Structure formats: C-alpha cells, structure tokens
Amino acid sequence: MTTRWLTPEEQRAWRAYLAASTLLEDALDRQLQQEAGMPHLYYAVLAVLSDAPDRRMRMTDLAEHAKITRSRLTYVVTRLEKDGAIRRENCQWDKRGSIAVLTDEGLALLERLAPGHVESVRKAVFDHLTPEQIGQFEEICSAIAAAIEGEEAQQNGPDDLPWRRRSCSSGQ
Amino acid sequence: MTTRWLTPEEQRAWRAYLAASTLLEDALDRQLQQEAGMPHLYYAVLAVLSDAPDRRMRMTDLAEHAKITRSRLTYVVTRLEKDGAIRRENCQWDKRGSIAVLTDEGLALLERLAPGHVESVRKAVFDHLTPEQIGQFEEICSAIAAAIEGEEAQQNGPDDLPWRRRSCSSGQ
DNA sequence: AGTTATTGTTTAAAACTTGAACCAAGCCCG
DNA sequence: CGGGCTTGGTTCAAGTTTTAAACAATAACT
C-alpha cells in the first residue's frame, strides 16, 4: 500500500509537537539538574514511587509506570540508592523480586524539589493553556499513550498483556 | 509566594503527557534504529535540512530549528557526514560559518526512511485523533514551545532575541 | 585599533543506553 | 519429584551521547 503522508495540518501539529517536547524535556532537565544535579527521569521515578501505596513498588511495576526498561530502571535506582533517596528491599512473597522503597530522605528531597519543578511545568505548560485545552491535552496524550502501548502488546501477542499483576507492595 | 500546585486535571494531563512523550520517543527511536541504525534525532535533523531552501543551512540555524545546542549538532552532523548524508561547506559571506548541506545520498536516505517513519507516527498519533484534536494538539504544542522559547529569551535579556538572522544559505 | 560577541569545533570526562548473558526463583506438568 | 520453561532483576561490556569549558577564527562595535 502506498504511503499515507501527513496532511498539512498533521505536519504542522507534528512539527509543533517535536519542538515542544524537545524544548520541554530540555527545560525540565536543566531546571532539575541545576537544582538537584538530577535529570528529569530521576525525579519522575521518585515521583511515581511517592504515589505508590506505602511508597514502595516492585521494580518491574515501577519500570512499567515510568515507561522505561527494567535495565534502565536498575541503573537509575542504583544511583538513587547511592543518594539515599531509595532503598531496596526483598520481596517476601517472591524471592526473586526486589522492591524499591522511597526513603524518608527521598521523600524530603522530593518535597524540596517539587515546588521548583511544578513551577517550571506551570510556566512552560499550564499557565498558557485554557481549562478546555488542559482537558484536550489529556485526551490527546492518553490516546497516544494507549495507541503505543496497545501496539506493543499486539506485537508480543494478545496473551502477553499485563492484565493482572500481583503487587506485593503494600504489606509493610 | 506559596507553590501553586497542579490541579487534579492538570496532574492527569501531565501524567498523560509524560507517558505519551516517553513512549513516543522510544517508539520512534526503536523504529528508526531498526530501519536505519539511526536514532530519531538524526532523522529529525535530516528532515529539517531537507525543508530548507536548497537543502542547506547554517549550523546555528539548523541547531535552532532542531531545538538542540550547537555542540550537540556538531556531533550529529559529524556522524551524518561520515554516513555521506550531509556535506559541510564554507560560508562565503561569513568565514566563520559552515553550512550543512543535505547530499543527494542523504535525500535518498531520507526518502527511503520516510514511509516507515510516517507510518510509525500515524500509527502512534494521528490515526487516533479526530481532525479537531489535531488542530487542538497543534495549538497546545505551539503554545508550549512559544512559552519555553519566550522564557529563555527573557533570561538572556530582551535584547538578545535572534531578531534578524542572515542566512547565507540560498546562494548555490 | 581594541574590545567584545559569534561561530563552530574540539576536548575530556561523565553519564547514559543497550542488549545479551546470567542467576535465582517460580511455575507447570507428566 | 525433576526436568524444562518463564519471569524478575542484575550485571556486563560496548558503544553512544551529553555536557561544559576552552579554543581559534572571524565579525562587529565604539
């Protein structure tokens, strides 16, 4: 089948997206790097963890939520552990597993960083969008994320969906 | 002033954006890496260049359009030059300058890669958006990009805007 | 002329990413 | 039970990328 090229509208949207996402990632990285010597990815991992029940999550779970590979996550967590922001614990229910736990120190770090980070996000994004646009943005991004995740699931075969994942997380 | 935290709607939107952008970058990288051994950034640079008049652009110009630093661009172009996709020429009008030129080979490469890439973008993004959403997406992303670029301009002082940039590009 | 700013590259060090290999533990099933 | 297969997570080695600072050459301003 012959290529379905992007329409002019699609092209404009795509270019705008590329510009925005590149600039945004850069801006967030820069801000956090300056404030904490830590790129945005690390902050994001801490943030995901802080939202988990009991501030703890299985590695695979955490990787899935942060949308990164386990290998990458291992690397990140290793560094965050050195920084004292995360501690690893063994999973009692599954002796293979390890659980990343956000330490008090990690939480404190996150709380120290959060205002500046949120301010960046506001200044770059939400201060310039109307409430409708915020809703639209969420819809659009959700659709994209869903499409990509669905696509991947298809590739692995329909049986491979992470349809029920034991968490082993909230037993303290 | 006390932190203006994100509202629940904003949080949802932000989370969706983070997921989408991470997954998207990953998917595009993977696809191009597989098809051409080349991450998305390289493709993007080639694409920008191919749109320039005469397929040529000053390095600084190119960096600005691709939203990356000059240093990063030097690295990228060096590799693309090795691949034969780009050639460097000296700028006659400004002897400091160098001009990146998309070679015929580079154009051919781009044309070979484009269908697969466009297909990826479609499958991940535009196939799942209504025409209205495409318009909204463009608006939103443009607003974000403008906000960040404006912000940076402010930091450098209002006089530092790249208000008129000689291009030295379209002389063959 | 002399200072200051730009262009683009170089350099060296770090940081990151990847994929494959790997081990240990769980699971399945005759 | 005891193989075989799968999963969770890490390790490893290699390469890629990023960054910041320093630099050389030229341009621009005063």
Side-chain angles (χ1 to χ4, degrees):
Chain A
M1 168 188 147
T2 174
T3 304
R4 295 176 299 143
W5 298 105
L6 298 187
T7 67
E9 294 79 33
E10 288 169 335
Q11 278 186 46
R12 278 204 306 280
W14 184 240
R15 269 187 252 247
Y17 168 76
L18 286 183
S21 66
T22 308
L23 289 168
L24 195 44
E25 198 182 289
D26 227 55
L28 298 182
D29 267 350
R30 206 176 301 286
Q31 194 266 327
L32 282 165
Q33 196 69 51
Q34 180 159 5
E35 193 132 344
M38 174 181 286
H40 178 237
L41 174 60
Y42 292 67
Y43 181 92
V45 167
L46 292 180
V48 168
L49 208 45
S50 78
D51 267 343
D54 241 346
R55 289 152 38 185
R56 66 179 55 222
M57 234 188 259
R58 291 281 300 255
M59 290 297 279
T60 297
D61 248 13
L62 187 48
E64 253 164 39
H65 279 258
K67 316 296 180 196
I68 61 178
T69 64
R70 275 173 301 164
S71 194
R72 217 157 149 186
L73 180 63
T74 294
Y75 181 82
V76 169
V77 166
T78 301
R79 165 160 162 199
L80 287 173
E81 202 174 17
K82 262 180 212 135
D83 295 355
I86 283 185
R87 166 171 35 97
R88 274 186 238 244
E89 280 183 14
N90 295 324
C91 181
Q92 299 179 287
W93 295 269
D94 182 344
K95 299 225 178 101
R96 293 167 301 180
S98 81
I99 304 181
V101 186
L102 186 65
T103 63
D104 291 344
E105 194 183 341
L107 188 61
L109 174 65
L110 201 51
E111 282 168 350
R112 179 166 77 69
L113 261 32
H117 175 66
V118 169
E119 182 64 15
S120 293
V121 173
R122 270 209 168 294
K123 281 226 267 258
V125 180
F126 294 109
D127 279 355
H128 311 278
L129 301 182
T130 67
E132 291 85 39
Q133 284 182 310
I134 293 173
Q136 296 164 0
F137 194 38
E138 199 242 324
E139 289 281 333
I140 292 166
C141 290
S142 296
I144 294 171
I148 299 174
E149 293 195 310
E151 186 64 24
E152 276 170 12
Q154 256 186 348
Q155 281 183 2
N156 301 336
D159 271 332
D160 195 41
L161 296 165
W163 76 109
R164 192 170 49 89
R165 187 162 288 284
R166 53 240 158 294
S167 99
C168 167
S169 296
S170 26
Q172 49 164 319
Chain B
M1 167 187 149
T2 175
T3 303
R4 295 176 300 144
W5 298 104
L6 298 187
T7 67
E9 295 80 32
E10 288 170 336
Q11 278 185 46
R12 278 204 307 279
W14 185 241
R15 270 186 252 248
Y17 168 76
L18 285 183
S21 65
T22 307
L23 289 168
L24 195 43
E25 198 182 290
D26 227 53
L28 297 182
D29 267 351
R30 206 174 303 285
Q31 193 266 326
L32 282 165
Q33 196 71 49
Q34 182 160 2
E35 192 132 346
M38 174 183 286
H40 178 237
L41 174 60
Y42 291 68
Y43 180 93
V45 166
L46 292 181
V48 169
L49 207 46
S50 77
D51 268 343
D54 240 347
R55 287 152 39 185
R56 65 180 56 224
M57 234 188 257
R58 288 283 298 256
M59 292 295 280
T60 296
D61 248 15
L62 186 48
E64 253 164 39
H65 278 258
K67 317 294 180 196
I68 62 179
T69 64
R70 275 172 302 163
S71 194
R72 219 157 148 187
L73 181 63
T74 294
Y75 180 83
V76 169
V77 166
T78 301
R79 163 159 163 200
L80 287 173
E81 202 174 19
K82 264 181 211 134
D83 294 354
I86 282 185
R87 165 171 35 96
R88 274 186 238 243
E89 281 182 15
N90 295 323
C91 181
Q92 298 179 289
W93 294 270
D94 181 344
K95 300 222 177 106
R96 293 166 303 181
S98 82
I99 304 182
V101 186
L102 186 66
T103 63
D104 290 345
E105 194 182 339
L107 188 60
L109 174 64
L110 201 51
E111 281 168 352
R112 180 167 76 69
L113 262 30
H117 175 65
V118 170
E119 183 64 15
S120 292
V121 172
R122 271 209 168 294
K123 281 225 269 257
V125 180
F126 294 110
D127 279 354
H128 312 276
L129 302 182
T130 66
E132 291 84 41
Q133 284 182 311
I134 293 172
Q136 295 164 1
F137 193 39
E138 200 242 323
E139 289 281 333
I140 291 165
C141 290
S142 296
I144 294 171
I148 299 174
E149 293 195 311
E151 187 63 25
E152 277 171 13
Q154 256 187 348
Q155 280 182 3
N156 301 336
D159 272 332
D160 195 40
L161 296 165
W163 74 109
R164 192 170 49 89
R165 186 162 289 281
R166 52 244 159 291
S167 99
C168 167
S169 295
S170 25
Q172 46 164 327

